[in-house]
PDB file of all heavy atoms in Angstrom:
ATOM      1  N   CYS A   1       0.809  -1.229  -0.001  1.00 96.00           N
ATOM      2  CA  CYS A   1      -0.006  -0.009  -0.003  1.00 96.00           C
ATOM      3  C   CYS A   1       0.841   1.267   0.008  1.00 96.00           C
ATOM      4  O   CYS A   1       0.312   2.375  -0.109  1.00 96.00           O
ATOM      5  CB  CYS A   1      -0.965   0.006   1.183  1.00 96.00           C
ATOM      6  SG  CYS A   1      -0.188   0.373   2.781  1.00 96.00           S
ATOM      7  N   GLY A   2       2.162   1.155   0.140  1.00 95.00           N
ATOM      8  CA  GLY A   2       3.021   2.336   0.075  1.00 95.00           C
ATOM      9  C   GLY A   2       3.273   2.998   1.407  1.00 95.00           C
ATOM     10  O   GLY A   2       3.856   4.079   1.463  1.00 95.00           O
ATOM     11  N   LYS A   3       2.896   2.344   2.500  1.00 96.00           N
ATOM     12  CA  LYS A   3       3.160   2.925   3.805  1.00 96.00           C
ATOM     13  C   LYS A   3       4.662   2.852   4.131  1.00 96.00           C
ATOM     14  O   LYS A   3       5.179   3.655   4.910  1.00 96.00           O
ATOM     15  CB  LYS A   3       2.371   2.188   4.885  1.00 96.00           C
ATOM     16  CG  LYS A   3       2.149   2.955   6.149  1.00 96.00           C
ATOM     17  CD  LYS A   3       1.172   2.246   7.060  1.00 96.00           C
ATOM     18  CE  LYS A   3       0.884   3.049   8.309  1.00 96.00           C
ATOM     19  NZ  LYS A   3       0.117   4.279   8.018  1.00 96.00           N
ATOM     20  N   VAL A   4       5.327   1.888   3.515  1.00 97.00           N
ATOM     21  CA  VAL A   4       6.777   1.818   3.575  1.00 97.00           C
ATOM     22  C   VAL A   4       7.284   1.615   2.148  1.00 97.00           C
ATOM     23  O   VAL A   4       6.673   0.880   1.379  1.00 97.00           O
ATOM     24  CB  VAL A   4       7.266   0.652   4.503  1.00 97.00           C
ATOM     25  CG1 VAL A   4       6.712  -0.669   4.048  1.00 97.00           C
ATOM     26  CG2 VAL A   4       8.775   0.614   4.597  1.00 97.00           C
ATOM     27  N   LEU A   5       8.355   2.288   1.774  1.00 98.00           N
ATOM     28  CA  LEU A   5       8.860   2.250   0.402  1.00 98.00           C
ATOM     29  C   LEU A   5       9.933   1.163   0.308  1.00 98.00           C
ATOM     30  O   LEU A   5      11.053   1.322   0.791  1.00 98.00           O
ATOM     31  CB  LEU A   5       9.413   3.605  -0.004  1.00 98.00           C
ATOM     32  CG  LEU A   5       8.440   4.801   0.147  1.00 98.00           C
ATOM     33  CD1 LEU A   5       9.045   6.061  -0.416  1.00 98.00           C
ATOM     34  CD2 LEU A   5       7.090   4.470  -0.501  1.00 98.00           C
ATOM     35  N   GLY A   6       9.582   0.080  -0.346  1.00 98.00           N
ATOM     36  CA  GLY A   6      10.461  -1.065  -0.416  1.00 98.00           C
ATOM     37  C   GLY A   6      11.724  -0.888  -1.221  1.00 98.00           C
ATOM     38  O   GLY A   6      12.684  -1.640  -1.041  1.00 98.00           O
ATOM     39  N   LEU A   7      11.754   0.094  -2.122  1.00 98.00           N
ATOM     40  CA  LEU A   7      12.942   0.336  -2.940  1.00 98.00           C
ATOM     41  C   LEU A   7      13.776   1.507  -2.421  1.00 98.00           C
ATOM     42  O   LEU A   7      14.669   1.978  -3.132  1.00 98.00           O
ATOM     43  CB  LEU A   7      12.529   0.579  -4.384  1.00 98.00           C
ATOM     44  CG  LEU A   7      11.746  -0.566  -5.059  1.00 98.00           C
ATOM     45  CD1 LEU A   7      11.414  -0.196  -6.508  1.00 98.00           C
ATOM     46  CD2 LEU A   7      12.557  -1.874  -5.012  1.00 98.00           C
ATOM     47  N   ALA A   8      13.468   2.000  -1.217  1.00 98.00           N
ATOM     48  CA  ALA A   8      14.197   3.132  -0.665  1.00 98.00           C
ATOM     49  C   ALA A   8      15.673   2.791  -0.519  1.00 98.00           C
ATOM     50  O   ALA A   8      16.035   1.651  -0.175  1.00 98.00           O
ATOM     51  CB  ALA A   8      13.607   3.516   0.680  1.00 98.00           C
ATOM     52  N   GLU A   9      16.509   3.779  -0.738  1.00 98.00           N
ATOM     53  CA  GLU A   9      17.961   3.613  -0.550  1.00 98.00           C
ATOM     54  C   GLU A   9      18.417   4.595   0.526  1.00 98.00           C
ATOM     55  O   GLU A   9      18.400   5.824   0.308  1.00 98.00           O
ATOM     56  CB  GLU A   9      18.698   3.892  -1.862  1.00 98.00           C
ATOM     57  CG  GLU A   9      18.360   2.878  -2.962  1.00 98.00           C
ATOM     58  CD  GLU A   9      19.192   3.094  -4.210  1.00 98.00           C
ATOM     59  OE1 GLU A   9      20.084   3.977  -4.199  1.00 98.00           O
ATOM     60  OE2 GLU A   9      18.930   2.373  -5.201  1.00 98.00           O
ATOM     61  N   PRO A  10      18.827   4.102   1.685  1.00 98.00           N
ATOM     62  CA  PRO A  10      19.267   4.980   2.766  1.00 98.00           C
ATOM     63  C   PRO A  10      20.419   5.870   2.321  1.00 98.00           C
ATOM     64  O   PRO A  10      21.310   5.449   1.584  1.00 98.00           O
ATOM     65  CB  PRO A  10      19.735   4.015   3.870  1.00 98.00           C
ATOM     66  CG  PRO A  10      18.980   2.749   3.559  1.00 98.00           C
ATOM     67  CD  PRO A  10      18.877   2.683   2.070  1.00 98.00           C
ATOM     68  N   SER A  11      20.358   7.156   2.769  1.00 98.00           N
ATOM     69  CA  SER A  11      21.363   8.131   2.398  1.00 98.00           C
ATOM     70  C   SER A  11      22.167   8.543   3.630  1.00 98.00           C
ATOM     71  O   SER A  11      21.606   9.100   4.574  1.00 98.00           O
ATOM     72  CB  SER A  11      20.713   9.367   1.753  1.00 98.00           C
ATOM     73  OG  SER A  11      21.662  10.374   1.482  1.00 98.00           O
ATOM     74  N   LEU A  12      23.473   8.265   3.637  1.00 98.00           N
ATOM     75  CA  LEU A  12      24.346   8.553   4.772  1.00 98.00           C
ATOM     76  C   LEU A  12      25.102   9.858   4.608  1.00 98.00           C
ATOM     77  O   LEU A  12      25.678  10.095   3.549  1.00 98.00           O
ATOM     78  CB  LEU A  12      25.337   7.405   4.943  1.00 98.00           C
ATOM     79  CG  LEU A  12      26.429   7.574   5.998  1.00 98.00           C
ATOM     80  CD1 LEU A  12      25.837   7.520   7.412  1.00 98.00           C
ATOM     81  CD2 LEU A  12      27.505   6.501   5.850  1.00 98.00           C
ATOM     82  N   THR A  13      25.076  10.703   5.635  1.00 98.00           N
ATOM     83  CA  THR A  13      25.887  11.916   5.652  1.00 98.00           C
ATOM     84  C   THR A  13      26.634  11.983   6.987  1.00 98.00           C
ATOM     85  O   THR A  13      26.324  11.252   7.923  1.00 98.00           O
ATOM     86  CB  THR A  13      25.026  13.181   5.499  1.00 98.00           C
ATOM     87  OG1 THR A  13      24.028  13.202   6.528  1.00 98.00           O
ATOM     88  CG2 THR A  13      24.342  13.215   4.139  1.00 98.00           C
ATOM     89  N   ARG A  14      27.646  12.884   7.041  1.00 98.00           N
ATOM     90  CA  ARG A  14      28.455  13.038   8.265  1.00 98.00           C
ATOM     91  C   ARG A  14      28.510  14.514   8.623  1.00 98.00           C
ATOM     92  O   ARG A  14      29.426  15.238   8.249  1.00 98.00           O
ATOM     93  CB  ARG A  14      29.846  12.476   8.051  1.00 98.00           C
ATOM     94  CG  ARG A  14      30.619  12.279   9.331  1.00 98.00           C
ATOM     95  CD  ARG A  14      31.795  11.365   9.114  1.00 98.00           C
ATOM     96  NE  ARG A  14      32.323  10.843  10.360  1.00 98.00           N
ATOM     97  CZ  ARG A  14      32.968   9.700  10.521  1.00 98.00           C
ATOM     98  NH1 ARG A  14      33.159   8.930   9.444  1.00 98.00           N
ATOM     99  NH2 ARG A  14      33.430   9.333  11.676  1.00 98.00           N
ATOM    100  N   PRO A  15      27.513  15.039   9.355  1.00 97.00           N
ATOM    101  CA  PRO A  15      27.441  16.445   9.700  1.00 97.00           C
ATOM    102  C   PRO A  15      28.616  16.938  10.554  1.00 97.00           C
ATOM    103  O   PRO A  15      28.940  18.120  10.545  1.00 97.00           O
ATOM    104  CB  PRO A  15      26.101  16.568  10.451  1.00 97.00           C
ATOM    105  CG  PRO A  15      25.325  15.367  10.065  1.00 97.00           C
ATOM    106  CD  PRO A  15      26.360  14.294   9.867  1.00 97.00           C
ATOM    107  N   ALA A  16      29.194  16.043  11.329  1.00 97.00           N
ATOM    108  CA  ALA A  16      30.326  16.394  12.206  1.00 97.00           C
ATOM    109  C   ALA A  16      31.201  15.145  12.345  1.00 97.00           C
ATOM    110  O   ALA A  16      30.757  14.042  12.036  1.00 97.00           O
ATOM    111  CB  ALA A  16      29.813  16.850  13.571  1.00 97.00           C
ATOM    112  N   PRO A  17      32.447  15.288  12.786  1.00 96.00           N
ATOM    113  CA  PRO A  17      33.346  14.155  12.865  1.00 96.00           C
ATOM    114  C   PRO A  17      32.800  12.924  13.642  1.00 96.00           C
ATOM    115  O   PRO A  17      33.069  11.806  13.269  1.00 96.00           O
ATOM    116  CB  PRO A  17      34.573  14.729  13.569  1.00 96.00           C
ATOM    117  CG  PRO A  17      34.572  16.151  13.194  1.00 96.00           C
ATOM    118  CD  PRO A  17      33.133  16.565  13.170  1.00 96.00           C
ATOM    119  N   ALA A  18      32.020  13.189  14.673  1.00 98.00           N
ATOM    120  CA  ALA A  18      31.495  12.083  15.471  1.00 98.00           C
ATOM    121  C   ALA A  18      29.967  11.955  15.347  1.00 98.00           C
ATOM    122  O   ALA A  18      29.341  11.355  16.197  1.00 98.00           O
ATOM    123  CB  ALA A  18      31.872  12.275  16.936  1.00 98.00           C
ATOM    124  N   VAL A  19      29.413  12.494  14.286  1.00 98.00           N
ATOM    125  CA  VAL A  19      27.977  12.438  14.076  1.00 98.00           C
ATOM    126  C   VAL A  19      27.666  11.892  12.694  1.00 98.00           C
ATOM    127  O   VAL A  19      28.130  12.431  11.693  1.00 98.00           O
ATOM    128  CB  VAL A  19      27.300  13.832  14.223  1.00 98.00           C
ATOM    129  CG1 VAL A  19      25.812  13.729  13.951  1.00 98.00           C
ATOM    130  CG2 VAL A  19      27.554  14.379  15.618  1.00 98.00           C
ATOM    131  N   LEU A  20      26.892  10.803  12.660  1.00 98.00           N
ATOM    132  CA  LEU A  20      26.404  10.225  11.399  1.00 98.00           C
ATOM    133  C   LEU A  20      24.911  10.447  11.304  1.00 98.00           C
ATOM    134  O   LEU A  20      24.203  10.406  12.322  1.00 98.00           O
ATOM    135  CB  LEU A  20      26.675   8.718  11.356  1.00 98.00           C
ATOM    136  CG  LEU A  20      28.115   8.194  11.247  1.00 98.00           C
ATOM    137  CD1 LEU A  20      28.836   8.812  10.070  1.00 98.00           C
ATOM    138  CD2 LEU A  20      28.862   8.370  12.546  1.00 98.00           C
ATOM    139  N   ALA A  21      24.420  10.687  10.116  1.00 98.00           N
ATOM    140  CA  ALA A  21      22.977  10.835   9.892  1.00 98.00           C
ATOM    141  C   ALA A  21      22.563  10.017   8.689  1.00 98.00           C
ATOM    142  O   ALA A  21      23.257   9.992   7.674  1.00 98.00           O
ATOM    143  CB  ALA A  21      22.630  12.298   9.676  1.00 98.00           C
ATOM    144  N   VAL A  22      21.446   9.339   8.795  1.00 98.00           N
ATOM    145  CA  VAL A  22      20.924   8.521   7.698  1.00 98.00           C
ATOM    146  C   VAL A  22      19.478   8.898   7.433  1.00 98.00           C
ATOM    147  O   VAL A  22      18.662   8.864   8.362  1.00 98.00           O
ATOM    148  CB  VAL A  22      20.995   7.024   7.998  1.00 98.00           C
ATOM    149  CG1 VAL A  22      20.394   6.228   6.828  1.00 98.00           C
ATOM    150  CG2 VAL A  22      22.452   6.586   8.195  1.00 98.00           C
ATOM    151  N   ASP A  23      19.178   9.272   6.214  1.00 98.00           N
ATOM    152  CA  ASP A  23      17.804   9.491   5.808  1.00 98.00           C
ATOM    153  C   ASP A  23      17.323   8.138   5.221  1.00 98.00           C
ATOM    154  O   ASP A  23      17.860   7.664   4.229  1.00 98.00           O
ATOM    155  CB  ASP A  23      17.703  10.553   4.735  1.00 98.00           C
ATOM    156  CG  ASP A  23      16.260  10.952   4.410  1.00 98.00           C
ATOM    157  OD1 ASP A  23      15.387  10.033   4.429  1.00 98.00           O
ATOM    158  OD2 ASP A  23      16.005  12.140   4.112  1.00 98.00           O
ATOM    159  N   ALA A  24      16.388   7.518   5.882  1.00 98.00           N
ATOM    160  CA  ALA A  24      15.931   6.179   5.487  1.00 98.00           C
ATOM    161  C   ALA A  24      15.073   6.206   4.247  1.00 98.00           C
ATOM    162  O   ALA A  24      14.770   5.154   3.680  1.00 98.00           O
ATOM    163  CB  ALA A  24      15.153   5.539   6.632  1.00 98.00           C
ATOM    164  N   GLY A  25      14.649   7.402   3.825  1.00 98.00           N
ATOM    165  CA  GLY A  25      13.839   7.490   2.595  1.00 98.00           C
ATOM    166  C   GLY A  25      12.486   6.817   2.715  1.00 98.00           C
ATOM    167  O   GLY A  25      11.914   6.394   1.725  1.00 98.00           O
ATOM    168  N   ASN A  26      11.990   6.698   3.956  1.00 98.00           N
ATOM    169  CA  ASN A  26      10.712   6.034   4.243  1.00 98.00           C
ATOM    170  C   ASN A  26      10.745   4.541   3.945  1.00 98.00           C
ATOM    171  O   ASN A  26       9.729   3.917   3.684  1.00 98.00           O
ATOM    172  CB  ASN A  26       9.538   6.715   3.518  1.00 98.00           C
ATOM    173  CG  ASN A  26       9.246   8.065   4.094  1.00 98.00           C
ATOM    174  OD1 ASN A  26       9.179   8.238   5.309  1.00 98.00           O
ATOM    175  ND2 ASN A  26       9.081   9.073   3.221  1.00 98.00           N
ATOM    176  N   GLY A  27      11.956   3.965   4.003  1.00 98.00           N
ATOM    177  CA  GLY A  27      12.095   2.516   3.939  1.00 98.00           C
ATOM    178  C   GLY A  27      12.121   1.958   5.339  1.00 98.00           C
ATOM    179  O   GLY A  27      11.905   2.661   6.332  1.00 98.00           O
ATOM    180  N   PHE A  28      12.399   0.654   5.449  1.00 98.00           N
ATOM    181  CA  PHE A  28      12.484   0.028   6.759  1.00 98.00           C
ATOM    182  C   PHE A  28      13.663   0.606   7.555  1.00 98.00           C
ATOM    183  O   PHE A  28      14.721   0.846   7.013  1.00 98.00           O
ATOM    184  CB  PHE A  28      12.632  -1.481   6.606  1.00 98.00           C
ATOM    185  CG  PHE A  28      11.402  -2.157   6.090  1.00 98.00           C
ATOM    186  CD1 PHE A  28      11.397  -2.757   4.850  1.00 98.00           C
ATOM    187  CD2 PHE A  28      10.252  -2.226   6.845  1.00 98.00           C
ATOM    188  CE1 PHE A  28      10.282  -3.410   4.344  1.00 98.00           C
ATOM    189  CE2 PHE A  28       9.115  -2.864   6.382  1.00 98.00           C
ATOM    190  CZ  PHE A  28       9.122  -3.439   5.113  1.00 98.00           C
ATOM    191  N   ALA A  29      13.467   0.760   8.848  1.00 98.00           N
ATOM    192  CA  ALA A  29      14.547   1.294   9.700  1.00 98.00           C
ATOM    193  C   ALA A  29      15.759   0.358   9.714  1.00 98.00           C
ATOM    194  O   ALA A  29      16.884   0.816   9.838  1.00 98.00           O
ATOM    195  CB  ALA A  29      14.016   1.465  11.124  1.00 98.00           C
ATOM    196  N   HIS A  30      15.502  -0.928   9.572  1.00 98.00           N
ATOM    197  CA  HIS A  30      16.592  -1.894   9.648  1.00 98.00           C
ATOM    198  C   HIS A  30      17.685  -1.625   8.610  1.00 98.00           C
ATOM    199  O   HIS A  30      18.881  -1.723   8.890  1.00 98.00           O
ATOM    200  CB  HIS A  30      16.059  -3.326   9.458  1.00 98.00           C
ATOM    201  CG  HIS A  30      15.134  -3.772  10.555  1.00 98.00           C
ATOM    202  ND1 HIS A  30      13.897  -3.230  10.740  1.00 98.00           N
ATOM    203  CD2 HIS A  30      15.315  -4.723  11.528  1.00 98.00           C
ATOM    204  CE1 HIS A  30      13.331  -3.803  11.783  1.00 98.00           C
ATOM    205  NE2 HIS A  30      14.156  -4.713  12.273  1.00 98.00           N
ATOM    206  N   ALA A  31      17.284  -1.300   7.390  1.00 98.00           N
ATOM    207  CA  ALA A  31      18.256  -1.029   6.336  1.00 98.00           C
ATOM    208  C   ALA A  31      19.024   0.258   6.623  1.00 98.00           C
ATOM    209  O   ALA A  31      20.242   0.340   6.371  1.00 98.00           O
ATOM    210  CB  ALA A  31      17.561  -0.948   4.972  1.00 98.00           C
ATOM    211  N   ALA A  32      18.348   1.253   7.149  1.00 98.00           N
ATOM    212  CA  ALA A  32      18.991   2.523   7.489  1.00 98.00           C
ATOM    213  C   ALA A  32      19.981   2.323   8.619  1.00 98.00           C
ATOM    214  O   ALA A  32      21.109   2.858   8.614  1.00 98.00           O
ATOM    215  CB  ALA A  32      17.954   3.565   7.844  1.00 98.00           C
ATOM    216  N   ILE A  33      19.597   1.549   9.626  1.00 98.00           N
ATOM    217  CA  ILE A  33      20.481   1.301  10.762  1.00 98.00           C
ATOM    218  C   ILE A  33      21.698   0.485  10.320  1.00 98.00           C
ATOM    219  O   ILE A  33      22.833   0.744  10.725  1.00 98.00           O
ATOM    220  CB  ILE A  33      19.710   0.566  11.887  1.00 98.00           C
ATOM    221  CG1 ILE A  33      18.613   1.477  12.452  1.00 98.00           C
ATOM    222  CG2 ILE A  33      20.660   0.151  13.013  1.00 98.00           C
ATOM    223  CD1 ILE A  33      17.665   0.780  13.394  1.00 98.00           C
ATOM    224  N   ALA A  34      21.466  -0.497   9.440  1.00 98.00           N
ATOM    225  CA  ALA A  34      22.588  -1.293   8.905  1.00 98.00           C
ATOM    226  C   ALA A  34      23.568  -0.422   8.142  1.00 98.00           C
ATOM    227  O   ALA A  34      24.774  -0.694   8.128  1.00 98.00           O
ATOM    228  CB  ALA A  34      22.061  -2.407   8.000  1.00 98.00           C
ATOM    229  N   THR A  35      23.083   0.618   7.514  1.00 98.00           N
ATOM    230  CA  THR A  35      23.941   1.572   6.797  1.00 98.00           C
ATOM    231  C   THR A  35      24.754   2.415   7.754  1.00 98.00           C
ATOM    232  O   THR A  35      25.929   2.681   7.499  1.00 98.00           O
ATOM    233  CB  THR A  35      23.095   2.487   5.886  1.00 98.00           C
ATOM    234  OG1 THR A  35      22.401   1.695   4.900  1.00 98.00           O
ATOM    235  CG2 THR A  35      23.939   3.532   5.191  1.00 98.00           C
ATOM    236  N   GLY A  36      24.145   2.801   8.865  1.00 98.00           N
ATOM    237  CA  GLY A  36      24.802   3.742   9.779  1.00 98.00           C
ATOM    238  C   GLY A  36      25.664   3.114  10.857  1.00 98.00           C
ATOM    239  O   GLY A  36      26.601   3.777  11.374  1.00 98.00           O
ATOM    240  N   LEU A  37      25.414   1.854  11.240  1.00 98.00           N
ATOM    241  CA  LEU A  37      26.144   1.285  12.374  1.00 98.00           C
ATOM    242  C   LEU A  37      27.647   1.120  12.129  1.00 98.00           C
ATOM    243  O   LEU A  37      28.467   1.478  13.016  1.00 98.00           O
ATOM    244  CB  LEU A  37      25.549  -0.066  12.777  1.00 98.00           C
ATOM    245  CG  LEU A  37      24.310  -0.023  13.670  1.00 98.00           C
ATOM    246  CD1 LEU A  37      23.949  -1.426  14.153  1.00 98.00           C
ATOM    247  CD2 LEU A  37      24.472   0.895  14.861  1.00 98.00           C
TER     248      LEU A  37
END
């Protein structure tokens, strides 16, 4: 139904040396967390 976007690609940025940020793109949190950990 589109409540979660199955083809989303998490986008990783580094706003500061010790700070990571991931935009999950409305996909599952698991994929975004796997990208950022």
Side-chain angles (χ1 to χ4, degrees):
C1 76
K3 202 171 183 68
V4 57
L5 305 186
L7 300 180
E9 296 184 4
S11 176
L12 173 69
T13 56
R14 194 163 196 153
V19 178
L20 291 306
V22 177
D23 188 324
N26 290 315
F28 290 113
H30 294 69
I33 295 170
T35 297
L37 279 189

